[in-house]
Amino acid sequence: ITLSPLPLLPPPAPKETPRPPGPVSVVRGSRRPFRLPPRPGPFKTTASATPPPPSQAVPVKSSLGEPNPRTDPAAPLERILVAEDNSFNQRLIQQALSKMGSEAVITANGAEALAIFEKEPFRIVLLDLRMPEMDGFETARRMRTREAELGRQRTLLIALTADAMPESRHKAMESGMDEYLTKPFKFSELRKLIQPAQTGA
């Protein structure tokens, strides 16, 4: 009896090494699970976490510029001396100056205004021309005299009066006034006279 050789069987397939368990995410539209790769370990850095000494800190300049004394709440208000004997006009002037970011120092006559002027320098003074004890003309002359004696810069003296006569205006300028504003005046007119002195223009 002749025996035929048996057919050779293929070698068994190698067994797949099982992967370590990890997070499993199911891809939408597929039934096969998709395993996320393992998370990498912590990164190593060579940078020092110690902040630089204060001497090496870089100064940062603000882009907002210098504070505006009329808009910045922390900035001191511009003090403006006012000599006016009428209480109603005092309130109107005080409100107008407050809107411009200034503080009104109210006095009832020229003598009171002059006493304060000698103790404290002011860049702007508003003087009524018709006042008891000392009128605006005499007050302006004495302020110019004290201004020169104390070596101060020239103060802006503004006459406030209901007298619109040219003679009164000329007399006010001769006594040392810089500007002449007739009552009733508009808020914009007073602001136009005061702003150049406030901004240093």
PDB file of all heavy atoms in Angstrom, residues 25-43:
ATOM      1  N   SER A  25     -12.493  55.795  23.719  1.00  0.00           N
ATOM      2  CA  SER A  25     -13.452  56.732  23.160  1.00  0.00           C
ATOM      3  C   SER A  25     -14.060  56.104  21.929  1.00  0.00           C
ATOM      4  O   SER A  25     -13.345  55.554  21.085  1.00  0.00           O
ATOM      5  CB  SER A  25     -12.771  58.056  22.801  1.00  0.00           C
ATOM      6  OG  SER A  25     -13.669  58.905  22.159  1.00  0.00           O
ATOM      7  N   VAL A  26     -15.359  56.133  21.828  1.00  0.00           N
ATOM      8  CA  VAL A  26     -16.050  55.547  20.682  1.00  0.00           C
ATOM      9  C   VAL A  26     -16.203  56.595  19.614  1.00  0.00           C
ATOM     10  O   VAL A  26     -16.725  57.698  19.865  1.00  0.00           O
ATOM     11  CB  VAL A  26     -17.434  55.003  21.116  1.00  0.00           C
ATOM     12  CG1 VAL A  26     -18.174  54.442  19.914  1.00  0.00           C
ATOM     13  CG2 VAL A  26     -17.268  53.954  22.191  1.00  0.00           C
ATOM     14  N   VAL A  27     -15.669  56.311  18.419  1.00  0.00           N
ATOM     15  CA  VAL A  27     -15.780  57.241  17.299  1.00  0.00           C
ATOM     16  C   VAL A  27     -17.182  57.172  16.755  1.00  0.00           C
ATOM     17  O   VAL A  27     -17.720  56.094  16.528  1.00  0.00           O
ATOM     18  CB  VAL A  27     -14.744  56.897  16.206  1.00  0.00           C
ATOM     19  CG1 VAL A  27     -14.854  57.885  15.055  1.00  0.00           C
ATOM     20  CG2 VAL A  27     -13.339  56.900  16.805  1.00  0.00           C
ATOM     21  N   ARG A  28     -17.784  58.332  16.573  1.00  0.00           N
ATOM     22  CA  ARG A  28     -19.153  58.366  16.079  1.00  0.00           C
ATOM     23  C   ARG A  28     -19.226  57.742  14.684  1.00  0.00           C
ATOM     24  O   ARG A  28     -18.389  58.049  13.826  1.00  0.00           O
ATOM     25  CB  ARG A  28     -19.659  59.814  16.052  1.00  0.00           C
ATOM     26  CG  ARG A  28     -21.122  59.956  15.603  1.00  0.00           C
ATOM     27  CD  ARG A  28     -21.593  61.372  15.753  1.00  0.00           C
ATOM     28  NE  ARG A  28     -21.572  61.751  17.178  1.00  0.00           N
ATOM     29  CZ  ARG A  28     -21.917  62.980  17.596  1.00  0.00           C
ATOM     30  NH1 ARG A  28     -22.296  63.879  16.719  1.00  0.00           N
ATOM     31  NH2 ARG A  28     -21.879  63.262  18.878  1.00  0.00           N
ATOM     32  N   GLY A  29     -20.201  56.892  14.454  1.00  0.00           N
ATOM     33  CA  GLY A  29     -20.376  56.225  13.159  1.00  0.00           C
ATOM     34  C   GLY A  29     -19.619  54.923  13.058  1.00  0.00           C
ATOM     35  O   GLY A  29     -19.632  54.265  12.019  1.00  0.00           O
ATOM     36  N   SER A  30     -18.915  54.527  14.106  1.00  0.00           N
ATOM     37  CA  SER A  30     -18.147  53.288  14.083  1.00  0.00           C
ATOM     38  C   SER A  30     -18.420  52.527  15.367  1.00  0.00           C
ATOM     39  O   SER A  30     -18.549  53.115  16.439  1.00  0.00           O
ATOM     40  CB  SER A  30     -16.655  53.562  13.945  1.00  0.00           C
ATOM     41  OG  SER A  30     -15.923  52.369  14.048  1.00  0.00           O
ATOM     42  N   ARG A  31     -18.467  51.224  15.271  1.00  0.00           N
ATOM     43  CA  ARG A  31     -18.689  50.384  16.444  1.00  0.00           C
ATOM     44  C   ARG A  31     -17.389  49.960  17.097  1.00  0.00           C
ATOM     45  O   ARG A  31     -17.394  49.335  18.139  1.00  0.00           O
ATOM     46  CB  ARG A  31     -19.490  49.133  16.055  1.00  0.00           C
ATOM     47  CG  ARG A  31     -20.892  49.456  15.546  1.00  0.00           C
ATOM     48  CD  ARG A  31     -21.640  48.176  15.256  1.00  0.00           C
ATOM     49  NE  ARG A  31     -23.008  48.467  14.815  1.00  0.00           N
ATOM     50  CZ  ARG A  31     -23.900  47.529  14.463  1.00  0.00           C
ATOM     51  NH1 ARG A  31     -23.540  46.239  14.515  1.00  0.00           N
ATOM     52  NH2 ARG A  31     -25.117  47.872  14.066  1.00  0.00           N
ATOM     53  N   ARG A  32     -16.277  50.231  16.436  1.00  0.00           N
ATOM     54  CA  ARG A  32     -14.987  49.811  16.991  1.00  0.00           C
ATOM     55  C   ARG A  32     -14.497  50.865  17.971  1.00  0.00           C
ATOM     56  O   ARG A  32     -14.514  52.067  17.680  1.00  0.00           O
ATOM     57  CB  ARG A  32     -13.968  49.627  15.867  1.00  0.00           C
ATOM     58  CG  ARG A  32     -14.346  48.534  14.868  1.00  0.00           C
ATOM     59  CD  ARG A  32     -13.281  48.421  13.801  1.00  0.00           C
ATOM     60  NE  ARG A  32     -11.985  48.139  14.401  1.00  0.00           N
ATOM     61  CZ  ARG A  32     -10.848  48.118  13.691  1.00  0.00           C
ATOM     62  NH1 ARG A  32     -10.879  48.379  12.402  1.00  0.00           N
ATOM     63  NH2 ARG A  32      -9.717  47.849  14.292  1.00  0.00           N
ATOM     64  N   PRO A  33     -14.055  50.438  19.118  1.00  0.00           N
ATOM     65  CA  PRO A  33     -13.529  51.421  20.080  1.00  0.00           C
ATOM     66  C   PRO A  33     -12.197  51.982  19.625  1.00  0.00           C
ATOM     67  O   PRO A  33     -11.400  51.295  19.006  1.00  0.00           O
ATOM     68  CB  PRO A  33     -13.394  50.600  21.366  1.00  0.00           C
ATOM     69  CG  PRO A  33     -13.190  49.200  20.898  1.00  0.00           C
ATOM     70  CD  PRO A  33     -14.009  49.065  19.631  1.00  0.00           C
ATOM     71  N   PHE A  34     -11.991  53.249  19.919  1.00  0.00           N
ATOM     72  CA  PHE A  34     -10.727  53.906  19.573  1.00  0.00           C
ATOM     73  C   PHE A  34     -10.027  54.277  20.860  1.00  0.00           C
ATOM     74  O   PHE A  34     -10.547  55.012  21.689  1.00  0.00           O
ATOM     75  CB  PHE A  34     -11.001  55.169  18.744  1.00  0.00           C
ATOM     76  CG  PHE A  34      -9.766  55.994  18.490  1.00  0.00           C
ATOM     77  CD1 PHE A  34      -8.839  55.579  17.556  1.00  0.00           C
ATOM     78  CD2 PHE A  34      -9.535  57.160  19.203  1.00  0.00           C
ATOM     79  CE1 PHE A  34      -7.709  56.345  17.316  1.00  0.00           C
ATOM     80  CE2 PHE A  34      -8.408  57.900  18.971  1.00  0.00           C
ATOM     81  CZ  PHE A  34      -7.495  57.491  18.030  1.00  0.00           C
ATOM     82  N   ARG A  35      -8.846  53.724  21.032  1.00  0.00           N
ATOM     83  CA  ARG A  35      -8.091  53.949  22.260  1.00  0.00           C
ATOM     84  C   ARG A  35      -7.225  55.191  22.113  1.00  0.00           C
ATOM     85  O   ARG A  35      -6.481  55.320  21.142  1.00  0.00           O
ATOM     86  CB  ARG A  35      -7.230  52.727  22.598  1.00  0.00           C
ATOM     87  CG  ARG A  35      -8.050  51.478  22.921  1.00  0.00           C
ATOM     88  CD  ARG A  35      -7.148  50.342  23.344  1.00  0.00           C
ATOM     89  NE  ARG A  35      -7.928  49.150  23.654  1.00  0.00           N
ATOM     90  CZ  ARG A  35      -8.473  48.924  24.838  1.00  0.00           C
ATOM     91  NH1 ARG A  35      -8.301  49.806  25.809  1.00  0.00           N
ATOM     92  NH2 ARG A  35      -9.180  47.826  25.066  1.00  0.00           N
ATOM     93  N   LEU A  36      -7.351  56.081  23.096  1.00  0.00           N
ATOM     94  CA  LEU A  36      -6.523  57.274  23.087  1.00  0.00           C
ATOM     95  C   LEU A  36      -5.099  56.922  23.468  1.00  0.00           C
ATOM     96  O   LEU A  36      -4.875  56.021  24.272  1.00  0.00           O
ATOM     97  CB  LEU A  36      -7.082  58.300  24.088  1.00  0.00           C
ATOM     98  CG  LEU A  36      -8.501  58.811  23.777  1.00  0.00           C
ATOM     99  CD1 LEU A  36      -8.958  59.738  24.892  1.00  0.00           C
ATOM    100  CD2 LEU A  36      -8.518  59.534  22.444  1.00  0.00           C
ATOM    101  N   PRO A  37      -4.135  57.614  22.902  1.00  0.00           N
ATOM    102  CA  PRO A  37      -2.741  57.352  23.287  1.00  0.00           C
ATOM    103  C   PRO A  37      -2.511  57.740  24.737  1.00  0.00           C
ATOM    104  O   PRO A  37      -3.190  58.610  25.273  1.00  0.00           O
ATOM    105  CB  PRO A  37      -1.936  58.242  22.329  1.00  0.00           C
ATOM    106  CG  PRO A  37      -2.875  59.324  21.939  1.00  0.00           C
ATOM    107  CD  PRO A  37      -4.245  58.686  21.906  1.00  0.00           C
ATOM    108  N   PRO A  38      -1.589  57.114  25.386  1.00  0.00           N
ATOM    109  CA  PRO A  38      -1.328  57.451  26.798  1.00  0.00           C
ATOM    110  C   PRO A  38      -0.837  58.874  26.942  1.00  0.00           C
ATOM    111  O   PRO A  38      -0.196  59.423  26.053  1.00  0.00           O
ATOM    112  CB  PRO A  38      -0.253  56.432  27.210  1.00  0.00           C
ATOM    113  CG  PRO A  38       0.409  56.035  25.934  1.00  0.00           C
ATOM    114  CD  PRO A  38      -0.680  56.062  24.886  1.00  0.00           C
ATOM    115  N   ARG A  39      -1.194  59.520  28.061  1.00  0.00           N
ATOM    116  CA  ARG A  39      -0.769  60.888  28.304  1.00  0.00           C
ATOM    117  C   ARG A  39       0.736  60.966  28.507  1.00  0.00           C
ATOM    118  O   ARG A  39       1.323  60.126  29.156  1.00  0.00           O
ATOM    119  CB  ARG A  39      -1.473  61.434  29.552  1.00  0.00           C
ATOM    120  CG  ARG A  39      -2.979  61.560  29.383  1.00  0.00           C
ATOM    121  CD  ARG A  39      -3.580  62.163  30.628  1.00  0.00           C
ATOM    122  NE  ARG A  39      -5.028  62.310  30.491  1.00  0.00           N
ATOM    123  CZ  ARG A  39      -5.813  62.804  31.440  1.00  0.00           C
ATOM    124  NH1 ARG A  39      -5.268  63.185  32.594  1.00  0.00           N
ATOM    125  NH2 ARG A  39      -7.107  62.906  31.242  1.00  0.00           N
ATOM    126  N   PRO A  40       1.338  62.016  27.932  1.00  0.00           N
ATOM    127  CA  PRO A  40       2.789  62.142  28.145  1.00  0.00           C
ATOM    128  C   PRO A  40       3.093  62.525  29.579  1.00  0.00           C
ATOM    129  O   PRO A  40       2.245  63.067  30.296  1.00  0.00           O
ATOM    130  CB  PRO A  40       3.176  63.266  27.175  1.00  0.00           C
ATOM    131  CG  PRO A  40       1.928  64.062  27.004  1.00  0.00           C
ATOM    132  CD  PRO A  40       0.783  63.073  27.103  1.00  0.00           C
ATOM    133  N   GLY A  41       4.281  62.280  29.986  1.00  0.00           N
ATOM    134  CA  GLY A  41       4.701  62.592  31.340  1.00  0.00           C
ATOM    135  C   GLY A  41       4.900  64.081  31.512  1.00  0.00           C
ATOM    136  O   GLY A  41       4.768  64.862  30.579  1.00  0.00           O
ATOM    137  N   PRO A  42       5.183  64.527  32.710  1.00  0.00           N
ATOM    138  CA  PRO A  42       5.373  65.975  32.961  1.00  0.00           C
ATOM    139  C   PRO A  42       6.590  66.498  32.214  1.00  0.00           C
ATOM    140  O   PRO A  42       7.610  65.844  32.085  1.00  0.00           O
ATOM    141  CB  PRO A  42       5.573  66.045  34.486  1.00  0.00           C
ATOM    142  CG  PRO A  42       6.042  64.674  34.872  1.00  0.00           C
ATOM    143  CD  PRO A  42       5.375  63.714  33.918  1.00  0.00           C
ATOM    144  N   PHE A  43       6.426  67.722  31.670  1.00  0.00           N
ATOM    145  CA  PHE A  43       7.531  68.347  30.943  1.00  0.00           C
ATOM    146  C   PHE A  43       8.564  68.869  31.928  1.00  0.00           C
ATOM    147  O   PHE A  43       8.247  69.309  33.022  1.00  0.00           O
ATOM    148  CB  PHE A  43       7.013  69.513  30.085  1.00  0.00           C
ATOM    149  CG  PHE A  43       6.129  69.062  28.951  1.00  0.00           C
ATOM    150  CD1 PHE A  43       4.746  69.110  29.070  1.00  0.00           C
ATOM    151  CD2 PHE A  43       6.690  68.579  27.786  1.00  0.00           C
ATOM    152  CE1 PHE A  43       3.934  68.694  28.037  1.00  0.00           C
ATOM    153  CE2 PHE A  43       5.881  68.168  26.743  1.00  0.00           C
ATOM    154  CZ  PHE A  43       4.501  68.225  26.871  1.00  0.00           C
TER     155      PHE A  43
END
